[in-house]
Amino acid sequence: MRYIKNFPLELAFWVMALVLLATANGHEHHFTLCPLANLGYEGWCPGCGLGRSISHIFHGEFTESFSEHWFGFPAISIIVYRIYTLIRNKQKFKILTTNR
């Protein structure tokens, strides 16, 4: 049980998200979790296209990335920085699992 408490869930989430976006095809339309798109709103949504934009960056298609969503480049840099800080701070925040 003590290993489960020490498992960096957020770190695993971000790394898995980047791996999945790197292997996804940005030209195909996938299932969306966007509530606005699922309700039928076809206007501009602040988050729609962000995953496809990051996927295009991983495939080297920078103009397609910018046309999908302009925030793709800053988003990937923020995610990579967050992964870096989680790895760096992992040693600082050890959870004590024994009772004293």
Side-chain angles (χ1 to χ4, degrees), residues 15 17 26 32 35 43 52 59 63 65-66 81 87 98:
V15 170
T32 181
R52 288 188 300 275
H59 291 103
T63 56
S65 170
F66 193 76
Y81 178 73
I87 291 171
T98 58

Side-chain angles (χ1 to χ4, degrees), residues 6-85:
N6 287 333
F7 186 74
L9 190 61
E10 183 184 0
L11 176 63
F13 172 79
W14 287 121
V15 170
M16 183 60 70
L18 288 182
V19 167
L20 290 174
L21 286 172
T23 59
N25 185 0
H27 297 288
E28 294 178 3
H29 184 69
H30 300 283
F31 174 74
T32 181
L33 295 174
C34 177
L36 294 176
N38 287 331
L39 289 173
Y41 179 71
E42 295 184 14
W44 184 79
C45 175
C48 287
L50 191 56
R52 288 188 300 275
S53 176
I54 293 172
S55 179
H56 287 305
I57 291 171
F58 281 124
H59 291 103
E61 302 165 344
F62 301 116
T63 56
E64 289 88 354
S65 170
F66 193 76
S67 68
E68 287 287 343
H69 201 290
W70 65 271
F71 198 66
F73 289 103
I76 198 168
S77 63
I78 290 168
I79 293 170
V80 169
Y81 178 73
R82 181 62 184 159
I83 290 171
Y84 169 73
T85 58

